[in-house]
Amino acid sequence: MRETVLTPETIANPKAHYGDAKASTRHFITQRVTGLVNVVFLGLLLFIVVRLAGQDRADMVSVIGNGFVGVPLALLIAIAAIHMRNGMRDTLEDYLHGRVYNLAMLLNTLFCLIVGLAGAGAVLKIVFWG
């Protein structure tokens, strides 16, 4: 496979092919779909925040422990972590290159994975084990 030299002229040429078109399209669609899901679930999140304002732990456990509230909340946390990873990927692609970029992407993926699993796991623990 021939490597294309990226110059302003190459980038401006609509017939020039560089990058991975399938991965870029998948990234674009994933970012838009997760953003839409986040907007849809925003109502649930606002309900939970308003419902739990000023309440103690027992009330929080009873609200989040309801499967109709807790499972979508865990799903929202997981989807928000995916959206966060993709958003940071855009920034990292713009400012970092080479080995630093690869390390930053690895750390970004690990951080988002840890946040998503910890958050969703905590909510699901409340739902299924109280």
Side-chain angles (χ1 to χ4, degrees), residues 23-85:
S24 297
T25 302
R26 183 178 54 247
H27 172 75
F28 177 84
I29 291 172
T30 302
Q31 189 70 358
R32 296 321 180 266
V33 169
T34 57
L36 179 65
V37 171
N38 287 338
V39 169
V40 170
F41 276 121
L42 183 64
L44 172 68
L45 187 61
L46 289 174
F47 165 76
I48 293 170
V49 169
V50 170
R51 170 68 176 81
L52 295 176
Q55 301 298 319
D56 60 358
R57 184 184 187 283
D59 290 330
M60 179 203 66
V61 170
S62 69
V63 170
I64 294 177
N66 181 349
F68 293 110
V69 174
V71 172
L73 181 62
L75 186 63
L76 171 64
I77 292 169
I79 291 172
I82 293 168
H83 188 75
M84 177 174 61
R85 180 190 176 275

Side-chain angles (χ1 to χ4, degrees), residues 3-4 16 30 33 36 44 47 49 56 65-67 72 79 85-86 88-91 96-97 102 107 109 116 121 128:
E3 186 173 324
T4 304
T30 302
V33 169
L36 179 65
L44 172 68
F47 165 76
V49 169
D56 60 358
N66 181 349
I79 291 172
R85 180 190 176 275
N86 284 341
M88 280 304 300
R89 176 184 167 190
D90 292 339
T91 304
L96 301 176
H97 305 286
N102 291 335
L107 294 174
T109 301
F128 294 111

